[in-house]
Amino acid sequence: MGYRVVVAGATGNVGREMLNILAEREFPIDDIAAVASSRSQGDEVELGDTGRMIKVQNIEHFDPAGWDIALFAIGSEATKVYAPKFAAAGCTVIDNSSLYRMDPDVPLIVPEVNPGDIDRYRARNIIANPNCSTAQLVVALKPLHDAAKITRVVVATYQSVSGAGKSGMDELFEQSRNIFVGEQAEPKKFTKQIAFNVIPHIDTFLDDGSTKEEWKMVVETKKILDPKIKVVATCVRVPVFVGHSEAVHVEFENEISAAEAQRILREAPGVMLVDKREDGGYVTPIECVGEFATYVSRVREDPTVDNGLAMWVVSDNLRKGAALNAVQIAELLGRRHLKKAA
């Protein structure tokens, strides 16, 4: 016996990745529906590489009654309309947008980090998926926090264009092609040229000079990991198609060596330590694409602060940053609460 699962936004980058991961992880499915906006009605999407094609239904007319879990990848505006309807019908929503992340009645979950928080999901029948850059960060930080208690985190991100959706990927491709043939590379999706460039600006600016993306990393890390941790982030868009990277500097209350941190990270759930301290002995975004793990490299002691470490963290943002984490939440929900699968 399995679950009746809805994938909302099934024709987008994250929605398609959700379908792939449901198949790859052999999530117990009795029935599956793909829904999207009216523009995609009648299109077909494949459930991973199974050969099973699913006809896309219009979310406006879809009846969620009798369905168990809905994986949402439709953006905040549409989520605001449809998530309460699905939740009220008894279908638990696992939402990839930012809409509910800081709602005190909605658990914000990374299964390797705070699985127990999912027990509060019944208040709204909605569970939030964190920002992609936050998800990989807290997976790496959690085991170190347990060992030596983190007090402060300084992080600079190197975020791929897939975080901005298909239009971001298209813009990088088109600008790169245009530059090679001597044509103009005018920005449309991004505020400046992204090809062969980096842009220290993701989402809107706030009054204090930070961006909303940076604010998300701060408040989400606190909610997921520990509200006492001080966090500052600089989020940068880079000309990489898939895979987010982060340079992370961490300060601890208690002493911890690089060797001890490596030992802890080597055994940590969801983490793959690749830290050979030689040419190529680290992971870059290209190598993480299509992988489930959060990769940690370049672990070293920071001599500028007491009890400080620096490290490099890389993950496939469409997977752990979005689709994989959502499916892992569904698995956790099944194990702890729904318990329909054998």
Side-chain angles (χ1 to χ4, degrees):
M1 186 177 182
Y3 300 97
R4 303 189 73 212
V5 179
V6 182
V7 176
T11 56
N13 285 346
V14 174
R16 289 179 183 273
E17 199 64 24
M18 286 172 170
L19 291 166
N20 290 336
I21 292 170
L22 286 167
E24 286 178 35
R25 294 176 71 90
E26 298 181 342
F27 188 82
I29 294 172
D30 272 357
D31 196 6
I32 187 163
V35 302
S37 69
S38 57
R39 294 189 306 274
S40 300
Q41 184 175 355
D43 292 351
E44 289 192 334
V45 291
E46 186 177 2
L47 180 60
D49 293 325
T50 64
R52 180 178 175 181
M53 303 304 295
I54 309 164
K55 186 166 286 189
V56 178
Q57 301 178 55
N58 187 343
I59 192 170
E60 294 178 33
H61 305 138
F62 184 80
D63 181 3
W67 294 82
D68 298 306
I69 300 169
L71 306 178
F72 267 46
I74 57 175
S76 293
E77 290 304 312
T79 296
K80 188 184 297 184
V81 175
Y82 296 107
K85 294 181 179 179
F86 276 65
C91 180
T92 303
V93 173
I94 300 171
D95 177 36
N96 197 62
S97 81
S98 62
L99 183 63
Y100 292 106
R101 289 176 188 159
M102 298 314 297
D103 187 320
D105 291 327
V106 174
L108 180 64
I109 300 296
V110 176
E112 299 94 332
V113 178
N114 60 334
D117 287 355
I118 201 171
D119 297 343
R120 299 185 291 105
Y121 85 98
R122 287 193 176 92
R124 299 286 292 274
N125 207 23
I126 297 170
I127 304 164
N129 208 24
N131 188 38
C132 48
S133 49
T134 304
Q136 69 187 67
L137 177 65
V138 296
V139 167
L141 293 181
K142 167 64 173 174
L144 300 177
H145 184 54
D146 288 346
K149 197 171 184 182
I150 294 170
T151 58
R152 182 171 182 252
V153 177
V154 180
V155 55
T157 71
Y158 305 75
Q159 295 179 227
S160 65
V161 295
S162 58
K166 183 178 182 297
S167 59
M169 300 176 77
D170 289 345
E171 184 153 316
L172 174 57
F173 176 82
E174 290 164 7
Q175 285 185 356
S176 301
R177 180 186 59 192
N178 289 351
I179 289 168
F180 277 121
V181 299
E183 296 179 1
Q184 292 293 315
E186 294 296 326
K188 297 175 184 177
K189 175 68 175 180
F190 301 112
T191 55
K192 295 196 176 189
Q193 176 185 312
I194 185 60
F196 309 100
N197 197 19
V198 298
I199 305 172
H201 174 197
I202 301 176
D203 214 323
T204 56
F205 275 98
L206 305 178
D207 291 341
D208 66 355
S210 63
T211 65
K212 192 173 181 182
E213 183 81 358
E214 292 157 355
W215 173 83
K216 289 175 190 175
M217 289 197 73
V218 172
V219 297
E220 292 175 18
T221 299
K222 288 173 172 286
K223 182 174 179 178
I224 295 168
L225 198 56
D226 187 336
K228 295 179 181 178
I229 295 175
K230 296 177 181 179
V231 184
V232 63
T234 300
C235 293
V236 183
R237 191 72 74 190
V238 297
V240 170
F241 283 106
V242 178
H244 287 357
S245 306
E246 297 170 351
V248 187
H249 292 259
V250 191
E251 295 177 37
F252 297 86
E253 182 175 302
N254 304 309
E255 186 175 350
I256 183 170
S257 67
E260 184 181 0
Q262 288 171 318
R263 178 185 60 77
I264 291 166
L265 290 166
R266 194 173 287 113
E267 303 299 325
V271 173
M272 180 69 71
L273 181 72
V274 180
D275 194 6
K276 296 182 180 178
R277 301 189 178 185
E278 61 187 36
D279 291 354
Y282 43 81
V283 173
T284 62
I286 288 174
E287 289 126 12
C288 80
V289 174
E291 299 294 331
F292 287 151
T294 294
Y295 290 88
V296 180
S297 308
R298 303 290 321 278
V299 179
R300 59 207 187 276
E301 288 157 25
D302 179 355
T304 67
V305 296
D306 292 334
N307 305 327
L309 292 177
M311 59 186 176
W312 175 250
V313 180
V314 179
S315 188
D316 182 332
N317 57 292
L318 297 179
R319 292 205 151 207
K320 187 54 188 171
L324 170 61
N325 200 72
V327 174
Q328 287 179 301
I329 291 172
E331 293 169 344
L332 179 64
L333 179 68
R335 289 195 304 271
R336 291 179 75 106
H337 294 285
L338 302 185
K339 299 180 180 178
K340 289 182 67 174

